[in-house]
Amino acid sequence: MEKKYKKIILITAPSGSGKTSIVNHLMKKFPQLSFSVSATTRQPRKGEKEGVHYYFISEPEFREKIHNKEFLEWEMVYEGKYYGTLKSDIERIWKENKVPVLDIDVQGAIHVQQQYPVNTIAIFIQPPSTEELKRRLKLRGSETDQSLQARLNKSGYEMTFKEHFENIIINEKFENACKEADKIVGDFLNN
Ligand code: 5GP
């Protein structure tokens, strides 16, 4: 396969920053993109589909995949739940001559960048403020007090890695954030 197709787009952010909505927007706008479906040991949320949003697997299965080196990267992101990017999913997308979009946490994005320093861009989506982040997470209604707090704590920690990323979008107004993302992704795909 020609090297020019082996690109990767990483979208990363603290949880609740609106990253998933921006990813969904990009997927609609650029048909050459394909969402990389991660494996996770967390429970599906309402409306989430197996093989579309995630591959929902058990912890023993996840550990076996770690052992078999099936992951490009993996992290224990929240409350003992594992998340990982499957090499097979990236290969599948490249075979289709498409560009994988990875919606992953900050540590995971840094790991992928280390392995693929060229032909990869990372976009960091920053929530406007901690108060707004809290409001959005509460609105989602899927978090317990404990998991909300865990996500807020992690968010503060993840913000400290912001400067690591070459593209930072502040998601104050969704339309503006999408426009900025369109420009970054469009330029990257055309290069
Ligand atoms: P959620 O539980 O809200 O779907 O995701 C929690 C966090 O895990 C988000 O920041 C999401 O981007 C991240 N995440 C999802 N898939 C992966 C993955 O494959 N690897 C890593 N490192 N993080 C992931």
Side-chain angles (χ1 to χ4, degrees):
M1 189 182 304
E2 280 189 67
K3 186 128 177 79
K4 70 174 180 179
Y5 293 117
K6 295 204 165 187
K7 292 182 172 179
I8 293 179
I9 297 176
L10 300 158
I11 315 273
T12 192
S15 176
S17 62
K19 159 179 64 155
T20 306
S21 307
I22 293 177
V23 168
N24 290 340
H25 160 82
L26 289 170
M27 304 307 298
K28 278 194 206 132
K29 169 117 186 157
F30 298 98
Q32 58 273 63
L33 302 182
S34 181
F35 184 67
S36 157
V37 181
S38 297
T40 184
T41 59
R42 84 148 162 75
Q43 291 299 309
R45 292 191 193 119
K46 225 172 133 201
E48 285 185 331
K49 291 200 182 81
E50 167 67 22
V52 176
H53 298 95
Y54 283 106
Y55 300 109
F56 296 98
I57 63 175
S58 68
E59 202 171 310
E61 278 179 281
F62 201 102
R63 286 180 191 281
E64 197 182 320
K65 288 185 188 302
I66 295 174
H67 180 78
N68 294 338
K69 302 197 173 3
E70 290 180 49
F71 290 112
L72 181 60
E73 61 74 41
W74 62 269
E75 297 286 331
M76 190 182 270
V77 180
Y78 292 113
E79 300 179 308
K81 300 297 177 205
Y82 290 100
Y83 294 76
T85 307
L86 290 160
K87 290 178 187 167
S88 57
D89 223 64
I90 302 297
E91 289 296 338
R92 170 185 66 80
I93 294 169
W94 279 340
K95 275 199 189 109
E96 292 168 1
N97 285 344
K98 291 196 170 190
V99 177
V101 175
L102 280 61
D103 172 342
I104 65 178
D105 86 326
V106 170
Q107 302 293 339
I110 292 172
H111 284 152
V112 176
Q113 276 190 314
Q114 282 164 349
Q115 292 178 69
Y116 291 95
V118 287
N119 281 343
T120 301
I121 48 158
I123 303 175
F124 183 95
I125 313 287
Q126 183 181 329
S129 64
T130 312
E131 287 68 38
E132 178 60 13
L133 183 67
K134 205 169 178 176
R135 197 187 67 80
R136 287 181 191 177
L137 284 169
K138 277 193 171 159
L139 206 70
R140 193 155 80 183
S142 58
E143 309 305 325
T144 61
D145 284 351
Q146 196 188 356
S147 72
L148 178 81
Q149 198 50 52
R151 282 173 188 258
L152 285 174
N153 292 345
K154 186 161 190 283
S155 157
Y157 175 68
E158 288 192 314
M159 283 295 288
T160 65
F161 289 92
K162 176 178 112 172
E163 304 306 334
H164 191 93
F165 298 97
E166 68 268 40
N167 300 292
I168 300 167
I169 296 176
I170 303 175
N171 190 11
E172 188 112 46
K173 229 171 162 248
F174 181 65
E175 294 75 30
N176 294 347
C178 286
K179 271 189 207 145
E180 283 183 55
D182 290 350
K183 168 92 177 75
I184 295 166
V185 170
D187 288 350
F188 176 67
L189 292 174
N190 289 330
N191 265 325

